[in-house]
């Protein structure tokens, strides 16, 4: 089909061209095609026993997982073989093959950054298909390739004096490595001490921040640290980092990312869980999760949208911006169908609204063979059957389907 024809055409082209740049781009495209196919068919590939030492069939549908892994690895390496040429070539010359992003200006729009990023993406798609893959911290061949690409990128941008590109690449590496392993291994850059320490993710970020504090791009390091603090449930630390970065780099073009995170930390939040049915006069529990808030009001409306009951609750505002849980009680009114609206003192996105029914009945249903149902009306307090109770079954659009009375 078109996939195989297109792939064969690219592989034939890459063999024939004498243009180094065309060859690099073609290898990158081929790696992406193989990686996408393997990722989309990974379940089937995992069912096959790996075949080693044989030339792959002409039909990739017969390949085993290791064949795809090696094809991707080989084409990625070929795509990045001439890094000097790629660094000198602007990705602007290859539009529409590439859509220039805002961050590409930090790499001087060089094609090396584009093809290296594509190579890492392709390798990530086949990483778990490799025969050496484990869920432990072991580094298999695909991981080693990814580490090598990041290391070469850092060395290249260090040599070229591209501080912004260096910092962004280091942050990408750290984020990937944090997800891939439980610890950070050192990444040695030629000619200088290791920038990425072998300690923790946070220590590695601190190293970057201290080294590039005078550069506006350092705001990205602050953002990574603040997001890390949020993950660790440390909103006070995250807020401090946001404020410091906003003060140091007010003109940085992505400073709004830190401002938005700061706003999220300070924004009010309220979520109240309550049962949907109660007995008349029953004391029910309201379980409230809240932050940056002093209180909320519960309003009960009948079906005519008339306010029946209103009660305000005060909550303790946590000083550390963390979410706090508090349990309150609410006395249900007389029998009826109501709408309960929860209104925070400070607008927290929008009010929550839910149906709330007050009844003395408890209705149980049981599916029987032949599309039949058994329905029992019970006293909600005693559990005893209620005689002469009128039962009405409705469709989803509230049309009456059946009506009967219990014996």
């Amino acid at each position: 089909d078109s996939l195989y024809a297109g792939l064969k055409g690219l592989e034939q082209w890459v063999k024939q061209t004498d243009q180094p740049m065309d060859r690099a781009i073609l290898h990158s495209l081929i790696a992406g095609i193989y990686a996408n196919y393997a990722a989309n068919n990974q379940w089937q590939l995992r069912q096959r026993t790996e075949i080693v030492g044989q030339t792959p069939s002409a039909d990739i549908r017969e390949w085993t997982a290791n064949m795809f892994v090696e094809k991707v690895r080989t084409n990625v390496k070929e795509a990045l073989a001439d890094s000097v040429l790629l660094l000198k070539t602007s990705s602007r010359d290859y539009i529409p093959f590439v859509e220039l992003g805002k961050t590409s200006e930090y790499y001087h729009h060089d094609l090396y950054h584009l093809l290296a990023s594509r190579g890492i993406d392709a390798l990530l798609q086949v990483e778990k298909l490799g025969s050496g893959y484990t869920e432990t911290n072991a580094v298999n061949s695909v991981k080693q390739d990814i580490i090598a690409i990041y290391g070469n990128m850092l060395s290249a941008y260090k040599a070229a004096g591209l501080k912004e590109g260096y910092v962004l690449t280091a942050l990408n590496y750290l984020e990937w490595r944090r997800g891939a392993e439980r610890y950070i291994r050192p990444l040695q850059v030629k000619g200088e001490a290791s920038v990425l320490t072998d300690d923790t993710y946070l220590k590695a970020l601190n190293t970057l921040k201290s080294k590039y504090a005078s550069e506006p791009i350092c705001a990205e390091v602050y953002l990574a640290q603040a997001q890390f603090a949020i993950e660790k449930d440390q909103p006070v630390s995250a807020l401090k980092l946001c404020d410091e970065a906003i003060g140091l780099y007010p003109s940085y073009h992505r400073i709004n990312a830190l401002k938005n995170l700061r706003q999220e930390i300070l924004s009010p939040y309220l979520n109240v869980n309550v049962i949907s049915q109660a007995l008349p006069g029953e004391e029910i529990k309201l379980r409230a999760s809240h932050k940056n808030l002093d209180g909320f009001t519960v309003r009960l409306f009948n079906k005519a949208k008339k306010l029946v009951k209103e009660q305000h609750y005060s909550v303790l505002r946590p000083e550390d911006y963390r979410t706090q849980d508090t349990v309150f009680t609410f006395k249900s009114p007389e029998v009826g169908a109501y709408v309960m609206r929860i209104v925070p003192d400070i607008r927290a996105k929008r009010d929550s609204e839910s149906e709330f029914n007050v009844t003395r009945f408890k209705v149980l249903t049981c599916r029987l063979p032949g599309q039949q149902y058994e329905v029992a009306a019970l006293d909600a307090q005693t559990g005893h059957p209620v005689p002469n109770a009128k039962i009405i079954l409705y469709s989803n659009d509230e049309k009456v389907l059946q009506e009967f009375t219990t014996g």
Side-chain angles (χ1 to χ4, degrees):
D1 59 21
S2 60
L3 170 66
Y4 309 120
L7 182 57
K8 292 301 178 185
L10 291 176
E11 290 184 322
Q12 190 64 30
W13 186 2
V14 79
K15 291 177 182 178
Q16 296 173 348
T17 183
D18 58 356
Q19 299 297 319
M21 282 311 310
D22 290 352
R23 192 160 49 247
I25 292 173
L26 288 168
H27 277 299
S28 179
L29 290 172
I30 293 168
I33 292 172
Y34 278 121
N36 287 334
Y37 183 91
N40 291 334
N41 296 275
Q42 56 183 306
W43 187 87
Q44 294 94 322
L45 292 172
R46 287 198 178 100
Q47 311 311 307
R48 301 173 186 171
T49 302
E50 290 191 356
I51 300 175
V52 182
Q54 292 186 21
T55 302
S57 164
D59 188 350
I60 66 173
R61 289 171 293 191
E62 299 176 359
W63 287 15
T64 56
N66 62 302
M67 294 176 179
F68 282 100
V69 172
E70 288 310 309
K71 272 290 185 181
V72 172
R73 292 184 66 206
T74 299
N75 278 282
V76 168
K77 287 177 182 177
E78 291 294 332
L80 301 175
D82 195 343
S83 59
V84 175
L85 177 62
L86 294 175
L87 281 165
K88 293 179 179 178
T89 306
S90 173
S91 54
R92 294 181 184 276
D93 299 334
Y94 288 86
I95 298 173
F97 167 71
V98 54
E99 180 179 344
L100 298 178
K102 287 186 176 180
T103 57
S104 66
E105 65 186 77
Y106 293 127
Y107 304 92
H108 286 197
H109 299 290
D110 64 78
L111 211 56
Y112 180 60
H113 167 246
L114 171 67
L115 297 192
S117 298
R118 283 179 53 85
I120 290 171
D121 290 342
L123 290 167
L124 287 174
Q125 288 190 80
V126 299
E127 179 189 357
K128 295 184 180 180
L129 291 175
S131 58
Y133 176 78
T134 65
E135 293 292 344
T136 66
N137 289 339
V139 179
N140 61 22
S141 58
V142 177
K143 272 188 180 178
Q144 289 173 340
D145 288 351
I146 296 173
I147 292 171
I149 292 173
Y150 274 122
N152 291 336
M153 290 176 73
L154 287 170
S155 295
Y157 292 130
K158 171 67 177 177
L162 291 176
K163 296 178 181 179
E164 296 90 349
Y166 183 94
V167 170
L168 292 176
T169 300
L171 288 174
N172 288 338
Y173 167 78
L174 280 168
E175 184 61 29
W176 165 71
R177 202 61 185 264
R178 184 165 74 102
E181 299 183 355
R182 294 192 299 269
Y183 60 91
I184 305 295
R185 294 189 178 191
L187 181 58
Q188 189 76 25
V189 179
K190 297 175 183 177
E192 66 169 19
S194 176
V195 173
L196 306 182
T197 72
D198 59 355
D199 196 355
T200 63
Y201 174 70
L202 188 56
K203 185 175 180 180
L205 291 178
N206 282 331
T207 302
L208 274 177
K209 189 171 73 173
S210 63
K211 185 165 186 176
Y212 295 96
S214 61
E215 305 294 331
I217 195 68
C218 194
E220 297 288 351
V221 184
Y222 275 92
L223 178 60
Q225 284 187 319
Q227 291 170 335
F228 180 79
I230 292 294
E231 288 180 23
K232 298 301 180 183
D233 195 24
Q234 299 170 354
V236 173
S237 297
L239 183 64
K240 183 179 179 181
L241 287 162
C242 289
D243 287 339
E244 187 175 342
I246 292 168
L248 288 171
Y249 316 106
S251 300
Y252 179 61
H253 83 280
R254 264 178 41 85
I255 199 65
N256 281 344
L258 284 147
K259 291 181 178 179
N260 291 339
L261 182 57
R262 182 182 189 277
Q263 185 59 39
E264 287 179 20
I265 296 169
L266 297 176
S267 292
Y269 169 80
L270 175 67
N271 182 60
V272 180
N273 289 319
V274 59
I275 59 175
S276 60
Q277 183 174 307
L279 292 165
E282 181 182 358
E283 294 278 351
I284 63 172
K285 292 182 178 180
L286 306 176
R287 291 178 170 83
S289 294
H290 55 90
K291 72 165 188 173
N292 303 329
L293 198 67
D294 295 315
F296 63 94
T297 301
V298 176
R299 292 175 181 154
L300 217 56
F301 298 85
N302 60 21
K303 286 297 184 179
K305 298 184 178 180
K306 180 180 178 182
L307 181 63
V308 174
K309 185 174 181 178
E310 180 177 86
Q311 186 169 344
H312 182 268
Y313 298 89
S314 296
V315 300
L316 293 177
R317 181 190 289 253
E319 295 182 359
D320 58 5
Y321 313 111
R322 289 176 175 165
T323 300
Q324 183 171 307
D325 296 327
T326 310
V327 178
F328 302 94
T329 58
F330 179 82
K331 189 173 183 179
S332 62
E334 60 186 26
V335 171
Y338 303 92
V339 172
M340 178 180 288
R341 185 177 297 164
I342 310 294
V343 184
D345 289 359
I346 303 175
R347 184 65 58 185
K349 293 187 178 178
R350 61 187 181 87
D351 302 341
S352 69
E353 199 171 274
S354 60
E355 291 186 356
F356 181 70
N357 298 311
V358 181
T359 177
R360 295 185 178 88
F361 294 157
K362 179 69 175 180
V363 179
L364 302 179
T365 61
C366 178
R367 184 189 292 269
L368 300 175
Q371 295 185 335
Q372 298 293 310
Y373 283 88
E374 181 179 18
V375 181
L378 308 177
D379 184 297
Q381 282 185 303
T382 66
H384 296 159
V386 178
N388 302 317
K390 186 176 181 180
I391 305 292
I392 304 175
L393 301 180
Y394 294 89
S395 63
N396 289 334
D397 55 359
E398 299 188 0
K399 291 182 179 178
V400 177
L401 296 176
Q402 192 174 355
E403 184 176 326
F404 57 91
T405 303
T406 61

